[in-house]
Amino acid sequence: MGKRVNIADKETVDKIYNALVPDEIYGFIEHMDVLAPGQRIEYTGANKDYSPLTVNKETGEASYNSWADFPWLKANKPYMVHSDGTPDYKLNENDYALKEDGSASDVSNANYDGGAFAWAMKIYKQEYTVGSDRIVNFSITKRDGYEPIGFIDASNQELEGVWIPMFYGSILGAESTPKMASLASFQPTYNNTTDQQKTAITNFSSRAAFFGGAIVETLIDLMILFAKTTDLQGAYGNGNCHGYDASQAPTYGVKPNAVIGGGQFYGTSDGMHLNKIFHSIVLGSYQQWMRDPYVVCVNGKVKVSKNYNYDLAGAAYKDAGITHGKINDTAHYGPVYAHKFRTVGGFGALPIAPYMGSTALGGCDGMWVNTEITAVALRFGYCNTGLSAGPRALALSNAAAYARWSVGAAILLLPPVGVAA
């Protein structure tokens, strides 16, 4: 069974835990006026002289270099997790079809009450902008001015971590009670509206949410931190961004969920394979847009949910301070490529005009906007987006009712307060 930690005396445990981890700050500056992705990131803090993590696109394997012993990466392990958010058991890191002890796992078991998730340990983040520089700092331990961004649930309770999906969401079960799963072997769901996806996610667990919002922003900045570049496809692999195949209707090249070897990372460069980042093919494969209702764009004005509250109108969301306007008198446009990002307190950094980047410059990933509707965000790109896809790709151009083969969703599973892997 997986280890369950119930933190009853938080202050005492914090003192013990903090004595065992490095009390250091790790960070970077994103020089947003510098367009070359490998030059716009400057390492700061304890990692000032680090060598970045790299992925060999021929073998798919990662070289961790100076990051080999970083606590967050070492804690990022694959698990089978009960639907209530408590861990069941660890999976073999190189073959998820097996448990850690070598026996068969439930990674493809449709009757398993839970799913396959990777542990994202809580990490504290500080983010602010000075001129054209975006400063991002991370701390394993709590400190003044740092927040657990992405690790706050809808009741505003701080969590010890979250479970990120290892697989795209598949809707299983009876038509009357659809339930989303994060399991291997099944086809990612498609042709569902946002509300239909929400129903399937809620049917999976009351502790489940869409994989989106603040945690994705934190994961993106961790990717940048480890790779020291904003060309994240170039750093971690191209996934299935060029996998479109008209002969493969109705999924058009969206591959079934599959167990991918290689450990925590696996990256290729031909744009035709499932890749993974942090044990998640959702983060590395770019084969289907992931719905993120925690970012909405109301007639150009961006609003965000910092804690996974669900409001498709955005009325209860925080105003991000970003308003997208028309380009060349066109309300519906894209892709455009941001080189500047605005820090939204307690959430992360979102793209803003002007758009002087490209698939190889600035933020490197595309953005789409419709300023005449209430748009629900889509993330990452799909199998016909090519190099416009990537972790920072963002579509603010479709309403909540938009349902197509290229749009899916994935589950973020929140553990109970005080429970960790």
Side-chain angles (χ1 to χ4, degrees):
M1 298 288 286
K3 181 173 66 176
R4 173 173 174 164
V5 180
N6 193 352
I7 300 179
D9 185 349
K10 185 74 167 60
E11 184 177 355
T12 299
V13 174
D14 275 348
K15 288 179 180 177
I16 296 170
Y17 180 66
N18 292 348
L20 300 176
V21 297
D23 186 20
E24 297 177 309
I25 293 171
Y26 301 82
F28 64 85
I29 301 172
E30 182 174 11
H31 297 290
M32 292 185 288
D33 281 346
V34 177
L35 296 183
Q39 297 175 25
R40 69 191 260 133
I41 300 301
E42 175 187 351
Y43 271 175
T44 59
N47 56 294
K48 183 174 178 61
D49 298 317
Y50 271 25
S51 297
L53 181 152
T54 61
V55 176
N56 184 318
K57 310 309 185 308
E58 298 297 322
T59 65
E61 297 178 354
S63 296
Y64 290 79
N65 299 316
S66 299
W67 293 104
D69 293 321
F70 188 63
W72 192 92
L73 281 171
K74 292 180 74 173
N76 176 227
K77 303 292 186 182
Y79 282 80
M80 295 304 296
V81 184
H82 297 300
S83 61
D84 66 359
T86 58
D88 187 358
Y89 58 84
K90 279 185 183 177
L91 295 167
N92 182 305
E93 292 193 54
N94 297 303
D95 185 355
Y96 307 139
L98 303 175
K99 297 181 180 180
E100 195 175 33
D101 64 8
S103 59
S105 78
D106 293 284
V107 76
S108 299
N109 180 5
N111 295 316
Y112 180 81
D113 182 25
F117 295 87
W119 180 244
M121 180 182 78
K122 177 175 60 180
I123 191 166
Y124 295 93
K125 181 183 176 187
Q126 178 192 61
E127 180 182 345
Y128 59 95
T129 302
V130 177
S132 292
D133 289 340
R134 188 173 73 95
I135 293 89
V136 178
N137 294 314
F138 287 100
S139 174
I140 299 298
T141 59
K142 190 172 186 177
R143 61 179 73 232
D144 289 344
Y146 287 65
E147 298 178 82
I149 297 174
F151 301 97
I152 304 293
D153 70 11
S155 299
N156 290 319
Q157 297 293 305
E158 186 172 323
L159 307 175
E160 301 311 306
V162 296
W163 298 107
I164 63 174
M166 291 171 61
F167 301 101
Y168 289 94
S170 302
I171 294 183
L172 308 177
E175 186 174 344
S176 58
T177 55
K179 182 169 71 172
M180 192 169 287
S182 175
L183 294 168
S185 303
F186 301 101
Q187 188 71 33
T189 186
Y190 58 95
N191 288 350
N192 299 116
T193 67
T194 310
D195 278 340
Q196 287 173 325
Q197 291 169 341
K198 175 66 165 62
T199 296
I201 289 171
T202 300
N203 286 344
F204 171 75
S205 171
S206 62
R207 297 296 294 169
F210 282 84
F211 182 46
I215 189 60
V216 171
E217 296 301 319
T218 294
L219 293 172
I220 289 169
D221 277 339
L222 285 170
M223 291 180 212
I224 294 172
L225 177 71
F226 300 139
K228 201 180 180 182
T229 181
T230 53
D231 182 5
L232 298 177
Q233 275 201 71
Y236 294 99
N238 297 109
N240 191 31
C241 68
H242 285 299
Y244 179 79
D245 184 345
S247 70
Q248 298 299 310
T251 58
Y252 297 98
V254 176
K255 301 177 186 296
N257 287 312
V259 170
I260 306 298
Q264 195 170 14
F265 301 93
Y266 182 82
T268 56
S269 60
D270 65 359
M272 304 288 287
H273 291 83
L274 296 179
N275 289 182
K276 60 181 175 177
I277 300 171
F278 306 143
H279 291 294
S280 172
I281 67 171
V282 182
L283 287 173
S285 295
Y286 319 120
Q287 64 164 358
Q288 197 178 40
W289 285 108
M290 292 290 98
R291 190 98 62 179
D292 181 0
Y294 311 123
V295 180
V296 298
C297 185
V298 183
N299 300 118
K301 182 182 289 291
V302 179
K303 299 184 175 185
V304 300
S305 170
K306 298 195 292 184
N307 62 351
Y308 313 112
N309 275 313
Y310 181 79
D311 176 9
L312 294 182
Y317 288 3
K318 175 184 175 67
D319 188 333
I322 299 170
T323 300
H324 296 290
K326 293 182 179 181
I327 293 183
N328 297 326
D329 203 35
T330 301
H332 190 182
Y333 57 85
V336 293
Y337 298 91
H339 73 292
K340 289 187 179 294
F341 296 80
R342 174 162 295 165
T343 293
V344 182
F347 184 82
L350 293 173
I352 59 173
Y355 312 111
M356 295 175 60
S358 71
T359 57
L361 298 173
C364 296
D365 299 337
M367 184 175 74
W368 293 253
V369 176
N370 187 341
T371 64
E372 294 183 339
I373 64 170
T374 294
V376 175
L378 304 175
R379 288 191 182 263
F380 307 145
Y382 75 114
C383 63
N384 201 25
T385 317
L387 295 181
S388 298
R392 276 178 151 176
L394 184 66
L396 302 173
S397 51
N398 299 106
Y402 184 67
R404 198 163 179 257
W405 66 270
S406 56
V407 177
I411 300 169
L412 178 71
L413 185 58
L414 307 178
V417 174
V419 171

